Amino acid sequence: MVHQTLERPAGAGKPAREQGQPRRRYRYGERPGLAYLFLSPWIAGALVLTIGPMLASLYLSFTDYDLFTTPQWVGLDNYRRLFTDDPRFLASVGVTLRYVLISTPLKLIAALAVAMLLNRVTRGSGFYRSAFYAPSLLGASAAIAIVWRLIFDNQGIVDNGLSAIGIHTGGWVASPRYALLVIVALAVWQFGAPMVIFLAGLKQIPQELYDASSVDGAGWWRTFRSVTLPMLSPVIFFNLVLEMIHAFQSFTGAFVVSGGRGGPSDSTLFYTLYLYDNAFSNFRMGYASAMAWALLLVIAAVTAVLFGTSRRWVYYAGDDSR
């Protein structure tokens, strides 16, 4: 009787991995390509809706383009005209800087003050938080800006109230002296978003620090200056950066209150308003693109300065490197 042994052909059924090497088993979330699959909508959106338009805008900033003809390459001429041959551009820069320097601190002070009051409220705190936060949701709309214009216009509520006590302004909206203050007031009124962030930061400050301050006999102002402000400094820094960037980009309030022209006498000619006017009223798309990139560089520079100075006044618990 002949016994025949069947041998397995070399390489038959051999997996791609080395012989004897255990098969790798991927844990959840480690499979290659799976992360890119989930990220693909964001990557596609970033490329098509953000990076692509930014690169197109950068190219157009070096051209003379009116939306109807082929862009003509002009090099740095748009940027040169911004700073040497356009008085309205410099006026818009001045108006925007005044708005940023006035509205941002006032908005943060109002948000912090209300947050400190709400931090002491125990009954109905949810209602008060919602009530104070609501303007942040509604204030950026054109409808609220229209109402705001009517309140401060000639024969409006504010004008009639001031006239009743003998102060006649003829309406704040039509006055070059007060028109910017109307938009500043609209911005400060929307303090709800930074207020909620301040309130969350206040609740994270350990009560032991306030107890120790009380035992040492510190008053309210000394406690606020030596305990609350240092412990809240990271939140202040966060809100300062966000609100500063938001103030540089303000548009809706200025557009509605000024009737879209930045008046009276260019007193509300915001940078974004002048950019919009060049792009879609005068069809100077290349010039407007140069303005957009100049604004981006200014915001980046101011943000870098804030980050550079933050190590001197922002306190992070556990950071002993300073």
Side-chain angles (χ1 to χ4, degrees):
M1 185 175 183
V2 178
H3 296 279
Q4 184 177 4
T5 303
L6 298 178
E7 295 183 357
R8 193 176 191 177
K14 182 180 179 180
R17 58 186 170 85
E18 296 292 336
Q19 287 285 0
Q21 183 180 1
R23 181 187 297 274
R24 181 182 178 187
R25 311 188 81 173
Y26 294 104
R27 290 184 299 178
Y28 180 76
E30 285 188 346
R31 189 172 296 278
L34 188 61
Y36 294 104
L37 176 64
F38 284 109
L39 286 173
S40 58
W42 181 88
I43 294 174
L47 290 175
V48 176
L49 301 177
T50 303
I51 298 177
M54 286 184 67
L55 294 178
S57 171
L58 180 61
Y59 166 73
L60 292 176
S61 70
F62 298 104
T63 66
D64 182 12
Y65 181 48
D66 61 1
L67 286 177
F68 304 106
T69 59
T70 304
Q72 301 294 323
W73 183 265
V74 294
L76 296 174
D77 189 59
N78 286 330
Y79 294 94
R80 181 191 61 78
R81 288 161 52 199
L82 281 177
F83 298 98
T84 62
D85 193 24
D86 191 348
R88 292 198 80 198
F89 168 77
L90 298 178
S92 69
V93 171
V95 170
T96 304
L97 287 178
R98 285 198 297 273
Y99 173 77
V100 172
L101 294 176
I102 296 174
S103 67
T104 302
L106 290 179
K107 188 174 184 178
L108 293 181
I109 291 173
L112 179 58
V114 176
M116 293 181 67
L117 292 175
L118 291 181
N119 195 37
R120 297 174 177 270
V121 174
T122 56
R123 298 183 61 181
S125 59
F127 168 77
Y128 291 118
R129 281 199 297 266
S130 302
F132 284 114
Y133 184 73
S136 291
L137 300 176
L138 304 174
S141 66
I144 294 298
I146 293 173
V147 173
W148 206 260
R149 177 188 172 96
L150 295 176
I151 290 174
F152 287 90
D153 206 352
N154 189 24
Q155 300 299 318
I157 296 175
V158 174
D159 186 47
N160 290 333
L162 293 176
S163 298
I165 59 175
I167 301 176
H168 303 283
T169 62
W172 288 31
V173 174
S175 170
R177 186 176 182 181
Y178 301 116
L180 182 61
L181 297 179
V182 175
I183 305 174
V184 169
L186 177 60
V188 174
W189 180 61
Q190 305 169 45
F191 62 80
M195 178 208 69
V196 171
I197 300 175
F198 276 138
L199 186 58
L202 288 170
K203 292 187 178 299
Q204 298 301 316
I205 300 177
Q207 182 60 36
E208 293 80 3
L209 297 179
Y210 290 110
D211 295 339
S213 178
S214 178
V215 170
D216 290 342
W220 178 87
W221 173 247
R222 182 59 185 269
T223 302
F224 174 75
R225 189 164 59 90
S226 302
V227 177
T228 304
L229 283 183
M231 297 301 294
L232 205 61
S233 57
V235 181
I236 296 174
F237 175 67
F238 177 79
N239 275 333
L240 176 62
V241 172
L242 286 188
E243 294 303 326
M244 183 272 300
I245 294 175
H246 181 69
F248 270 113
Q249 299 174 327
S250 293
F251 174 78
T252 304
F255 184 86
V256 174
V257 171
S258 69
R261 305 303 300 175
S265 302
D266 287 348
S267 60
T268 59
L269 184 64
F270 279 46
Y271 192 96
T272 53
L273 192 59
Y274 188 48
L275 189 155
Y276 174 86
D277 190 48
N278 273 297
F280 300 103
S281 297
N282 301 324
F283 300 109
R284 301 166 67 190
M285 192 60 69
Y287 194 74
S289 297
M291 288 186 63
W293 276 94
L295 177 61
L296 175 64
L297 294 178
V298 169
I299 292 177
V302 175
T303 304
V305 170
L306 290 177
F307 271 90
T309 60
S310 64
R311 291 182 59 83
R312 299 182 180 178
W313 60 275
V314 178
Y315 170 77
Y316 293 100
D319 183 8
D320 299 327
S321 59
R322 292 176 298 174

